[in-house]
Amino acid sequence: MTHPDHMPNGPSPRSGTAVVIGAGIAGLSVARVLAGGYAQVIVLDRDRLPDQAVPRRGVPQGYHGAVLLAAGQQALTAIFPGLVDDLVAAGAVPFEPGVEMAVFRFGALYPREPVGLSLVSFSRPLLELTLRQRLAALPNVTVYDDTSVAGLTGDGTQVTGVTLADGRHFATDMVVDCTGRGARSDRWIAALGFPTPEASEVKINVGYATRLLRRAPGDLPEGKALLILPAPPHEKRAGMALPIEGDRWLVTMGGWHGEFPASGDWEGFAAHARALPYQGLTRLLDRAEPLTDVVSFGFPSSRRRHFEQLTYVPAGYLAMGDAFCCFNPIYGQGMTCAAMQAVALGRLLDEHGVPTAAMARAFYQEAARIVATPWQFASGGDFAYPETAGDRPKGIAVLNKYSRRIQLATQVDPELRKLFTTVQHLLVPPDVLRTPGMVLRVLRTSRLAPGLKGGPVELVPEVAVTPVVAVPPAAPAPAAAAVAEPTTELPLVTLAQQQRGIEGTQRALDAVLIGVLAAEGVLDGPAGDSPEASPAPTGAADQAEVGADVGAAVAAAVVAGADTALIEPEQDAPAMESSVEPAAEGSRAPGEADGAAAGSGAVEEDVAQPESDDEGGAGTDSSADATDSSSASDAGDSGGE
């Protein structure tokens, strides 16, 4: 199926030459955007680009999963109209993530409930091949493979050309660096006298191993896809099965801090599946025919380069995609952010007309806005593990606890699950999960989650789990507790003691969490605000009001410095955690914090990536542990930029 390639509302045609370095998803996307405004667009990649949908040397993630987040699918479809139809015609598999992708976390399979999204599952090589074929049909785009870039040329204010390793030179009006994590842009622009950006790094030692299997009807009773996620910090392993073109299963085992299988280790791959808290992948491996060996990939750290902080940047040059921000690939955010940046660049070219330094600064500000939420998601989820090192976001331990409660609540609240999924897929900002009323709803509803009921259980996949959204009435609090004027510390303890029992204690601790979230600036309104979106359940209105009042008092106390220990998550976390859930049975404790993981084996050293490596990889998690942390989305995605 073919479609006219055009960029709606794109830049008007003009003369000039644009060069894109790197032919991954970021490079191909931006090349299409630039083709609407430049007389000539040249794409350079040092890899040999195959004419079939097979992995290539420069993109090791090509062996692993690649599902676009919904926002990325929207952006790529805007750049390449009809792209989803082309992918499905080539064998890609459409699916509704809430119904057709089974997700296991915190001791239970999530109920099959529609979330209102339609995604497509395919291999990364198929997506690249489809985009290259669409570009090849454009008369003003030329793609050169087996071509390495040695450096840039400039005149002190702007970049004017690209020098190749073989001595050739292209004069340019615009250069876009999409060479990925191993980008040499710092060296290139420093050689021209421009400052280089500072970088934030989070060391995670994450990795995953993948094997392709033959796919047949009935292989996976759980649905079209299966995602098994860990409950950090005690669980580090994850697993995933995605349907891809060619009637194949793409099965991945991965994890944090070295917990993933090595290449060629079939026994370790199978053992990894058996060690997961749900055995759906083990059953699939037992019944499906292997088509490939096990291939692994290691990723030592996430890295964000802060171009947006530079005040002096060259005109005619931009870095984007993984060259701008390289995420933990397990969260599957890279391709989506790259496509969104390409759309933003087209809009800025419309506004500025020419690639000035002002346009470059505006682009970096926009790119920083695009990656801000995914970076918080990914780094937050990674810091659920004490082994993670690097630039730790402020207040992330408290946010991770709230994130975990959100995910537990989505096991029993279908509407909240829909909302959370749209946040994970970057369709709406995470602020919608941070209103005081929403926090109260999350804290109440999460108490009903299967993940708080004990150890892991395997639910029969064919049996639908009926969501429970009503919170049963709790024993009324003593009148003195309901009217007591809370102070900074002692009344909180007194309230917890007076309310008797686990439910009463949990309410008091929930109030503390609300107060801490308010003090950290996470809530969108006053801590006592309870919007209509989250009405108090019958029989619990008084307790909710008390909890909100206590939360407001705690917030005021923390802001006033009366109890600074409350904003130190490491100190107050154990008390919250212990009353939130009982100890899990078995060697692992589902429902302990937030994150996702898998495997065994050592991760590779951080080696320079090829120029085309502008995308990340396995994507077992779909984005985020919650508001500012991260975790697996109900619509598992994958693939990097």
Side-chain angles (χ1 to χ4, degrees):
M1 185 180 299
T2 59
H3 307 271
D5 266 305
H6 64 283
M7 276 295 292
N9 304 317
S12 57
R14 54 182 169 277
S15 61
T17 297
V19 170
V20 178
I21 312 172
I25 304 304
L28 297 172
S29 300
V30 76
R32 180 61 196 90
V33 170
L34 296 173
Y38 286 89
Q40 182 181 28
V41 177
I42 298 169
V43 181
L44 308 173
D45 198 290
R46 66 179 176 186
D47 232 3
R48 175 69 59 86
L49 301 178
D51 56 7
Q52 297 180 347
V54 295
R56 57 190 178 95
R57 178 185 60 84
V59 184
Q61 300 95 331
Y63 291 94
H64 308 283
V67 176
L68 282 165
L69 300 182
Q73 186 170 295
Q74 288 182 359
L76 270 186
T77 301
I79 299 170
F80 296 93
L83 174 63
V84 170
D85 292 337
D86 287 350
L87 291 170
V88 172
V93 180
F95 68 98
E96 210 287 358
V99 176
E100 296 176 305
M101 168 172 262
V103 178
F104 184 95
R105 197 178 202 190
F106 299 125
L109 282 173
Y110 281 66
R112 293 183 180 181
E113 296 286 348
V115 293
L117 299 178
S118 179
L119 302 181
V120 185
S121 181
F122 46 80
S123 72
R124 162 66 179 269
L126 177 64
L127 178 60
E128 279 199 8
L129 177 65
T130 303
L131 299 187
R132 287 199 303 269
Q133 290 172 338
R134 294 287 289 270
L135 283 180
L138 301 178
N140 63 332
V141 177
T142 306
V143 179
Y144 294 91
D145 62 1
D146 281 328
T147 304
S148 295
V149 173
L152 306 174
T153 58
D155 62 8
T157 60
Q158 66 181 31
V159 171
T160 59
V162 172
T163 301
L164 305 184
D166 62 10
R168 287 180 294 165
H169 180 265
F170 288 111
T172 67
D173 300 279
M174 176 72 153
V175 175
V176 183
D177 180 0
C178 298
T179 56
R181 176 186 175 87
R184 291 173 285 172
S185 21
D186 282 0
R187 187 169 67 209
W188 291 344
I189 62 177
L192 298 178
F194 295 99
T196 58
E198 295 183 356
S200 298
E201 188 168 15
V202 178
K203 297 179 180 179
I204 49 179
N205 191 13
V206 79
Y208 36 85
T210 297
R211 192 175 204 184
L212 300 184
L213 311 175
R214 192 177 307 281
R215 178 162 51 92
D219 278 349
L220 192 67
E222 290 86 350
K224 289 186 177 181
L226 173 61
L227 181 62
I228 303 169
L229 297 164
H234 301 299
E235 296 178 357
K236 293 187 175 71
R237 299 185 175 196
M240 174 182 69
L242 295 174
I244 63 171
E245 70 277 3
D247 293 325
R248 296 174 295 172
W249 289 111
L250 187 151
V251 180
T252 294
M253 307 292 168
W256 278 250
H257 300 290
E259 291 285 328
F260 60 95
S263 289
D265 183 5
W266 165 243
E267 290 300 325
F269 192 83
H272 183 106
R274 291 193 298 271
L276 294 173
Y278 180 76
Q279 291 303 295
L281 292 177
T282 297
R283 292 189 285 267
L284 178 60
L285 294 180
D286 288 342
R287 66 169 59 103
E289 176 190 354
L291 298 176
T292 67
D293 203 348
V294 176
V295 179
S296 68
F297 174 73
F299 186 88
S301 63
S302 301
R303 186 179 299 157
R304 177 177 175 181
R305 303 167 73 207
H306 296 281
F307 284 92
E308 75 278 8
Q309 296 177 358
L310 297 176
T311 57
Y312 179 46
V313 296
Y317 172 84
L318 295 174
M320 65 172 286
D322 274 10
F324 184 88
C325 183
C326 185
F327 303 96
N328 178 346
I330 279 184
Y331 298 113
Q333 301 162 322
M335 290 194 301
T336 290
C337 289
M340 294 172 70
Q341 289 170 30
V343 170
L345 176 57
R347 184 171 61 250
L348 289 170
L349 283 172
D350 270 346
E351 295 173 4
H352 290 261
V354 293
T356 61
M359 192 214 76
R361 287 192 294 270
F363 172 79
Y364 289 139
Q365 292 298 321
E366 182 68 9
R369 184 193 65 78
I370 290 170
V371 305
T373 293
W375 179 262
Q376 290 174 337
F377 284 169
S379 60
D382 293 337
F383 274 109
Y385 295 102
E387 301 93 331
T388 300
D391 299 298
R392 183 184 183 92
K394 182 177 181 288
I396 198 60
V398 172
L399 290 169
N400 275 351
K401 291 182 182 302
Y402 179 53
S403 173
R404 174 181 165 278
R405 296 294 291 272
I406 290 177
Q407 293 172 76
L408 286 167
T410 61
Q411 290 182 343
V412 293
D413 187 337
E415 292 305 314
L416 180 59
R417 183 178 178 185
K418 286 182 182 179
L419 181 62
F420 181 48
T421 301
T422 61
V423 171
Q424 290 178 305
H425 282 262
L426 307 184
L427 296 174
V428 298
D431 296 351
V432 298
L433 297 170
R434 300 172 182 168
T435 64
M438 181 59 70
V439 172
L440 287 171
R441 173 175 177 169
V442 166
L443 297 180
R444 295 176 193 137
T445 309
S446 63
R447 299 180 200 133
L448 300 173
L452 285 179
K453 304 301 183 184
V457 294
E458 286 215 21
L459 304 180
V460 179
E462 291 77 15
V463 178
V465 179
T466 303
V468 182
V469 294
V471 177
V483 300
E485 192 70 27
T487 60
T488 59
E489 295 184 37
L490 184 57
L492 274 178
V493 178
T494 304
L495 176 64
Q497 293 170 337
Q498 289 176 339
Q499 283 181 318
R500 309 284 182 195
I502 295 176
E503 287 294 325
T505 303
Q506 184 60 64
R507 264 187 215 92
L509 292 171
D510 286 350
V512 175
L513 179 56
I514 293 170
V516 174
L517 290 170
E520 290 288 333
V522 173
L523 301 186
D524 282 348
D529 178 27
S530 183
E532 295 180 0
S534 150
T538 304
D542 292 341
Q543 280 89 353
E545 183 177 353
V546 171
D549 290 343
V550 173
V554 175
V558 173
V559 171
D563 189 358
T564 56
L566 286 175
I567 61 174
E568 294 296 332
E570 292 75 11
Q571 296 179 31
D572 80 311
M576 278 191 205
E577 196 74 30
S578 62
S579 59
V580 167
E581 63 179 330
E585 299 175 5
S587 59
R588 297 186 179 277
E592 279 274 352
D594 303 318
S600 67
V603 75
E604 300 171 11
E605 292 298 320
D606 184 7
V607 295
Q609 297 293 321
E611 287 174 358
S612 59
D613 181 19
D614 64 344
E615 293 97 35
T620 51
D621 262 1
S622 209
S623 45
D625 231 89
T627 53
D628 265 304
S629 36
S630 48
S631 137
S633 123
D634 294 335
D637 356 275
S638 50
E641 170 202 351

